Amino acid sequence: MNVSSIAALLSALIPGIAAIVPMLLGQSRIRRNLRHDIELLKELPENSDARASIMQHVEWQAARLRAREETGSREVGLGVFAIILAVAFGYSSIFLFGQGVWWSWLLGVACAFVALVATYGVLDSFTIKERVKKKEKK
């Protein structure tokens, strides 16, 4: 494999990986922190200030997790659009960098920037977030 085929493969793989990672992680960080705090809560003495403080924090984390699961969602449509943009502009930038003209470097940098922004859009779209619901029409 030459360098251009590896770069073309990476321009297709990176947005796909960016979509898979938030879907796999989901709420695992919040759950892991909650589990750790509950273990810590079991070790603290009863009726202590530290136990009450940790208990309040555990209740806050549980409420936050419940709210995200009830009102949170992923923007799949926007994420698919961002994947298409990232792949198209990533491959276009690789193609333009391979051309021997001076203006192709300028367009290649612009395409690479759009591909980078679209890859961030992929990460943002597939992350579970509390989304603002649209107002219902009367």
Side-chain angles (χ1 to χ4, degrees):
M1 285 183 128
N2 57 10
V3 176
S4 64
S5 60
I6 292 172
L9 181 65
L10 285 177
S11 71
L13 284 178
I14 289 173
I17 292 170
I20 291 171
V21 168
M23 294 182 87
L24 290 177
L25 294 179
Q27 306 283 24
S28 64
R29 183 177 56 84
I30 298 173
R31 291 181 194 280
R32 185 175 54 245
N33 290 347
L34 189 59
R35 201 174 307 124
H36 174 66
D37 289 345
I38 289 172
E39 290 296 321
L40 180 64
L41 192 64
K42 291 177 184 176
E43 295 175 8
L44 291 173
E46 201 69 34
N47 297 328
S48 67
D49 290 338
R51 183 179 177 89
S53 176
I54 292 292
M55 186 63 185
Q56 184 180 14
H57 185 67
V58 164
E59 290 171 356
W60 174 78
Q61 282 182 327
R64 186 173 145 206
L65 181 64
R66 185 175 40 252
R68 277 202 177 166
E69 289 179 351
E70 289 175 358
T71 62
S73 65
R74 292 183 168 102
E75 293 182 355
V76 178
L78 187 61
V80 170
F81 179 70
I83 287 174
I84 293 169
L85 274 181
V87 170
F89 278 94
Y91 187 73
S92 297
S93 67
I94 292 167
F95 173 76
L96 288 168
F97 285 138
Q99 303 302 309
V101 237
W102 66 270
W103 53 265
S104 66
W105 282 89
L106 295 174
L107 289 177
V109 168
C111 286
F113 178 74
V114 172
L116 182 68
V117 170
T119 302
Y120 174 76
V122 171
L123 282 169
D124 188 55
S125 297
F126 286 106
T127 302
I128 296 176
K129 289 185 183 177
E130 294 179 31
R131 308 287 181 186
V132 178
K133 293 185 178 181
K134 296 178 182 176
K135 294 181 181 178
E136 295 180 16
K137 293 182 180 180
K138 292 182 182 180

